[in-house]
Amino acid sequence: MARGKQKEQSREKAQKAAAARKGGKSQIQFRQQGLQSICPICKTPNPNYKTMVLHMEAKHPGKPIPPESTA
Ligand SMILES: [Zn+2]
């Protein structure tokens, strides 16, 4: 008897958890915040071109830095 109710409760819990996941931060939102400049060498996303240049200078010294329009 108690078992059936428990099952129902756990299902409800799972549904709530799924809803919470849906309402959470999505990857699309994350992208919209802007990680636009991806390092062409190691593919690390950077929030902007300037940061990407700094990353290039720090992580890949001597590598050609791409122009802003292509970053
Ligand atoms: Zn890199």
Side-chain angles (χ1 to χ4, degrees):
M1 281 183 267
R3 234 176 142 183
K5 200 175 180 188
Q6 228 173 28
K7 206 174 173 184
E8 212 173 282
Q9 275 179 337
S10 70
R11 202 178 59 183
E12 213 173 282
K13 213 173 165 183
Q15 276 177 342
K16 269 187 192 171
R21 267 200 299 272
K22 266 188 192 173
K25 257 191 185 175
S26 71
Q27 282 200 333
I28 293 162
Q29 238 177 351
F30 189 59
R31 255 187 227 175
Q32 277 173 346
Q33 279 173 10
L35 281 170
Q36 307 149 348
S37 289
I38 292 166
C39 169
I41 311 294
C42 69
K43 311 293 179 198
T44 295
N46 295 282
N48 55 50
Y49 177 72
K50 210 173 164 187
T51 308
M52 201 270 283
V53 172
L54 289 174
H55 164 91
M56 292 282 296
E57 285 171 348
K59 300 284 180 185
H60 319 293
K63 298 277 182 192
I65 292 166
E68 187 165 6
S69 57
T70 62

